């Protein structure tokens, strides 16, 4: 079995220096996965997920959002997020830079690339798909589904997998319906999984400690959504290895 190699590095989007974290097997990755974190940026939990995916044979890179690392103050994170979202094309370009780094630094000998996002990161990977990025699949966990730049017909190249909590006040049912209508109009291959009674941030084990009524960890939704993601990876990447237990 290949060992796991860890790499910390910096990359740039214009004059913004960003920090990347990559975990990958030393030989023959099955695919490459960009991990886009929540609104608070690249936390230890995101790095843990990269190492977990590397243990399953994937090259996994955690990208940066603002060039400030992980943000502890939620008010600061919201301010930074709103500034980044203000220009939709600039917002998308920030993450094209990360995809370029993944392609350059992974040991992948093919074009089997996925983008996986959590919360704000889920919103971002859907923006990647809407802009026609050449990515095999994007996976959004409790991401916002609205966009100022809806997908045009035939624009989306990626398969799309979305996981949402039915009780998430940040993504009400009307927003989910509008998203599904957008996907139907665009002709996208899109699967949406809805978990009844589940709030925002259901994959983040620290959500329940944030003293926010809208977010709460849900062990069952976390487990089921990860299993569904790995199953889709097996289908998209045509691999045979049995997934291990999530760390």
């Amino acid at each position: 079995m290949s060992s796991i190699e860890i790499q910390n590095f910096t990359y740039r989007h214009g004059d913004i220096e960003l920090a990347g974290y990559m975990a990958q097997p030393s030989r023959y990755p099955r695919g490459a996965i960009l991990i886009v974190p929540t609104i608070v940026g690249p936390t230890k939990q995101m790095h843990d997920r990269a190492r977990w995916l590397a243990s399953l044979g994937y090259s996994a890179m955690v990208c940066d959002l603002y060039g400030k690392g992980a943000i502890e103050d939620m008010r600061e994170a919201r301010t930074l997020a709103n500034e980044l979202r203000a220009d939709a094309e600039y917002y998308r370009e920030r993450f094209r830079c990360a995809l370029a780094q993944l392609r350059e630094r992974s040991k992948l000998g093919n074009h089997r690339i996925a983008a996986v996002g959590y919360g704000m990161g889920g919103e971002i990977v859907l923006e990647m798909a809407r802009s026609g990025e050449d990515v095999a699949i994007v996976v959004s966990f409790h991401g916002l589904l609205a966009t100022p730049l809806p997908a045009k017909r035939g624009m989306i190249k990626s398969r799309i997998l979305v996981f949402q909590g039915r009780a998430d006040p940040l993504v009400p049912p009307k927003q989910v319906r509008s998203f599904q209508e957008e996907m139907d109009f665009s002709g996208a291959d899109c699967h949406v999984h809805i978990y009844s009674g589940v709030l925002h941030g259901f994959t983040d084990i620290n959500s329940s400690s944030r003293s926010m009524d809208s977010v709460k960890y849900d062990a069952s939704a976390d487990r089921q959504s990860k299993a569904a993601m790995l199953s889709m990876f097996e289908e998209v990447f045509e691999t045979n290895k049995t997934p291990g237990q999530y760390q």
Side-chain angles (χ1 to χ4, degrees):
M1 180 180 293
S2 297
S3 59
I4 295 174
E5 298 178 356
I6 304 296
Q7 184 182 12
N8 290 280
F9 56 91
T10 60
Y11 62 104
R12 303 190 72 83
H13 174 211
D15 59 354
I16 305 295
E17 184 174 87
L18 302 158
Y21 177 93
M22 176 167 278
Q24 61 182 325
S26 57
R27 299 176 62 192
Y28 310 129
R30 308 161 75 190
I33 301 170
L34 180 67
I35 300 173
V36 188
T38 70
I39 193 171
V40 298
T43 61
K44 178 182 179 299
Q45 186 179 21
M46 294 294 109
H47 293 175
D48 290 344
R49 290 178 183 178
R51 291 193 298 273
W52 166 63
L53 287 166
S55 76
L56 300 180
Y58 297 101
S59 295
M61 172 187 157
V62 181
C63 70
D64 200 350
L65 298 184
Y66 320 113
K68 297 178 179 291
I71 308 296
E72 294 186 5
D73 186 332
M74 184 59 72
R75 290 173 297 180
E76 180 185 3
R78 289 196 188 100
T79 298
L80 290 167
N82 289 336
E83 291 173 354
L84 183 56
R85 289 176 172 128
D87 183 332
E89 287 294 351
Y90 180 84
Y91 188 36
R92 291 177 174 184
E93 186 60 33
R94 172 68 51 89
F95 301 98
R96 291 190 187 107
C97 294
L99 276 175
Q101 288 294 313
L102 176 65
R103 291 186 173 103
E104 176 183 335
R105 294 176 181 274
S106 74
K107 298 177 182 292
L108 195 64
N110 53 53
H111 299 290
R112 296 184 300 193
I113 292 177
V116 177
Y118 300 85
M120 182 175 174
E123 173 187 62
I124 290 163
V125 299
L126 293 174
E127 289 300 305
M128 290 180 184
R130 288 175 170 118
S131 67
E133 286 297 322
D134 188 13
V135 175
I137 180 170
V138 301
V139 184
S140 172
F141 291 89
H142 45 82
L144 302 185
L145 303 180
T147 179
L149 296 173
K152 297 178 181 179
R153 192 183 299 276
M155 187 69 173
I156 294 177
K157 302 174 184 177
S158 311
R159 296 186 70 174
I160 296 175
L161 182 59
V162 170
F163 302 105
Q164 292 295 144
R166 181 69 173 80
D168 184 347
L170 303 183
V171 186
K174 182 178 179 180
Q175 189 177 133
V176 176
R177 288 194 299 271
S178 294
F179 172 76
Q180 290 175 309
E181 290 169 0
E182 178 195 358
M183 293 297 102
D184 288 344
F185 173 79
S186 70
D189 181 345
C190 179
H191 294 199
V192 179
H193 296 221
I194 305 292
Y195 301 102
S196 296
V198 173
L199 294 168
H200 192 72
F202 61 80
T203 67
D204 183 357
I205 199 167
N206 297 312
S207 286
S208 300
S209 64
R210 297 188 189 278
S211 299
M212 297 171 61
D213 293 339
S214 61
V215 299
K216 185 178 182 181
Y217 177 68
D218 188 285
S220 178
D222 183 26
R223 183 171 56 252
Q224 297 300 325
S225 59
K226 289 181 179 70
M229 177 183 72
L230 292 180
S231 177
M232 185 69 84
F233 282 175
E234 292 292 324
E235 181 176 320
V236 170
F237 295 143
E238 297 181 359
T239 54
N240 298 313
K241 182 178 177 181
T242 301
Q245 184 176 2
Y246 180 73
Q247 299 297 317

